[in-house]
Amino acid sequence: MANIVGVKLSDFCAKPEVALDTMMKGYDMWGDADGIQHACYNVALLSYIWLSRIDRPGIELPEDKLWQVKEQELMTRDDYDAIINGGYNNFLQDFYLNKLDNLMPRLGPFFEIFPEAIKAWSAKGVVPFSPVVVTIPYENFCGGRSMTAFLKDLYKIPDKVQAAMDAAMPDILESARQAARGFKPVGMWVGGWRAASEFLSPKLWHRFVFPYYKQLIQAVIDEGVIPVLHFDSNWTRDLELFRELPKGKCVLSLDGATDIYKAKELLGDHMCIMGDVPPAMLTLGTPDEVYNYSKKLMSDIGPTGFILAQGCDIPPDAKLENVRAMIAAAAGN
């Protein structure tokens, strides 16, 4: 949005009011889209979810260079004990203050404008489809510990990791419930990235990943909100297990790494499928290629139980004419 509107990425990332205005102007340039994933943006949200430091445009990076997550071991093995003994929310407060450079005041302006952003999109007739992001302890811990250290923990101290996950879940579930009640979104972004099947043996995945997703997804459903399973990376191996989730209640949002045709085969009668026009195609392809791919998806995966969308997010260097082609395909133009 910043690129097509002509706004500095540094301003877009640092000033939520600029991000909202930019997103709305960019949306008007797209064509006849009927929804948007986020209502507003602030780059510090990545630290909030991933427990990681971020290099930001205009601060650590040049003004128009995309933000970068820094892979560091900010969370230690002792922090598992802190979570087990003191609770997850208490741990997060200390972590945000001391490991993430007093994060929460930097997010204050975003949280202040967020309700206004929801109302502004609704007044525009646009659905903010999954504006609230939640995820499981695996993703939080993996970001805080770093992927290498965390995967070693799963082998060397599995019982402690699981105990910390179990201790974190009540606070995570309550936060999801409060967000659902406070903002009443249509859908809630239930994120999955490094917890994908391609990164773990089935034994570890069944212990540290899937049981926690089942709890979180059920909590979101119980609040009358649609879990939008924003599952990046490759989950093909375990797609059939998603039939254990409540039927007709979820949207499976794929990024191109998971076999969307296999998802249709196994889950087409069980949950809505969303995706998965490749980000690379939106950047490097032609409008005809995007249009034809989109039409094929609509024919093969749809027409019912399917939401045509980009895989994951539209990349910052996507061509506007390619995004318009994707939307035109869905609009029947």
Side-chain angles (χ1 to χ4, degrees):
M1 295 296 205
N3 281 342
I4 63 174
V5 174
V7 171
K8 289 181 180 178
L9 198 57
S10 55
D11 289 338
F12 181 87
C13 290
K15 303 172 183 178
E17 69 279 4
V18 172
L20 175 58
D21 180 68
T22 302
M23 289 170 71
M24 288 197 152
K25 288 177 179 176
Y27 179 90
D28 289 337
M29 297 168 69
W30 278 355
D32 192 24
D34 58 3
I36 193 165
Q37 290 188 112
H38 296 298
C40 192
Y41 191 73
N42 186 295
V43 72
L45 289 168
L46 296 174
S47 292
Y48 187 72
I49 290 290
W50 285 343
L51 307 187
S52 301
R53 291 198 178 105
I54 309 294
D55 281 349
R56 297 156 290 178
I59 302 176
E60 294 87 3
L61 301 170
E63 286 186 334
D64 281 314
K65 188 172 180 63
L66 190 67
W67 56 85
Q68 298 177 8
V69 178
K70 299 181 72 172
E71 189 80 3
Q72 297 173 294
E73 291 183 39
L74 296 181
M75 183 177 169
T76 69
R77 285 190 174 182
D78 290 340
D79 287 327
Y80 294 130
D81 290 315
I83 294 167
I84 293 166
N85 297 322
Y88 193 48
N89 283 345
N90 290 333
F91 160 77
L92 286 178
Q93 290 178 13
D94 180 76
F95 193 89
Y96 291 151
L97 176 64
N98 294 304
K99 296 294 183 69
L100 293 177
D101 307 317
N102 200 13
L103 174 68
M104 297 311 292
R106 286 187 276 129
L107 276 171
F110 171 81
F111 290 133
E112 288 176 7
I113 202 174
F114 186 73
E116 175 187 329
I118 295 284
K119 292 178 182 177
W121 284 109
S122 298
K124 196 177 179 70
V126 179
V127 177
F129 190 47
S130 53
V132 178
V133 178
V134 294
T135 192
I136 59 170
Y138 184 103
E139 294 289 359
N140 302 139
F141 294 177
C142 192
R145 285 284 287 139
S146 81
M147 190 169 189
T148 300
F150 180 67
L151 291 179
K152 289 179 180 178
D153 291 346
L154 298 185
Y155 286 93
K156 294 183 177 180
I157 52 168
D159 292 343
K160 180 163 288 189
V161 173
Q162 184 174 359
M165 287 183 172
D166 292 342
M169 277 306 288
D171 286 340
I172 289 174
L173 295 175
E174 184 58 24
S175 294
R177 294 186 190 103
Q178 292 303 320
R181 294 168 190 173
F183 298 114
K184 298 180 173 59
V186 173
M188 187 173 290
W189 173 310
V190 179
W193 309 279
R194 296 174 169 191
S197 306
E198 68 176 323
F199 295 121
L200 288 171
S201 70
K203 180 180 178 180
L204 293 178
W205 194 85
H206 282 279
R207 179 175 182 181
F208 296 106
V209 175
F210 195 49
Y212 299 94
Y213 274 123
K214 290 175 75 172
Q215 292 181 58
L216 183 56
I217 289 165
Q218 188 61 58
V220 173
I221 291 171
D222 289 345
E223 295 298 327
V225 176
I226 299 168
V228 180
L229 312 182
H230 186 102
F231 282 177
D232 295 329
S233 305
N234 191 342
W235 302 70
T236 306
R237 181 192 71 198
D238 297 301
L239 285 174
E240 192 167 8
L241 287 171
F242 294 169
R243 296 187 69 86
E244 296 180 17
L245 302 174
K247 185 176 182 178
K249 299 292 185 180
C250 300
V251 173
L252 179 60
S253 178
L254 302 175
D255 73 347
T258 298
D259 185 341
I260 197 170
Y261 286 86
K262 194 68 174 179
K264 170 68 174 180
E265 174 190 339
L266 296 174
L267 300 169
D269 65 341
H270 196 79
M271 62 179 61
C272 178
I273 298 171
M274 176 176 167
D276 77 339
V277 179
M281 183 182 291
L282 291 171
T283 298
L284 302 173
T286 66
D288 284 346
E289 287 173 333
V290 172
Y291 186 89
N292 292 334
Y293 185 87
S294 299
K295 281 293 189 184
K296 181 172 172 57
L297 280 181
M298 292 165 60
S299 173
D300 295 348
I301 310 301
T304 60
F306 176 62
I307 298 171
L308 178 68
Q310 74 291 336
C312 188
D313 288 327
I314 295 174
D317 53 355
K319 298 172 185 174
L320 178 57
E321 58 267 29
N322 286 348
V323 178
R324 285 174 171 166
M326 177 178 68
I327 294 168
N333 297 330

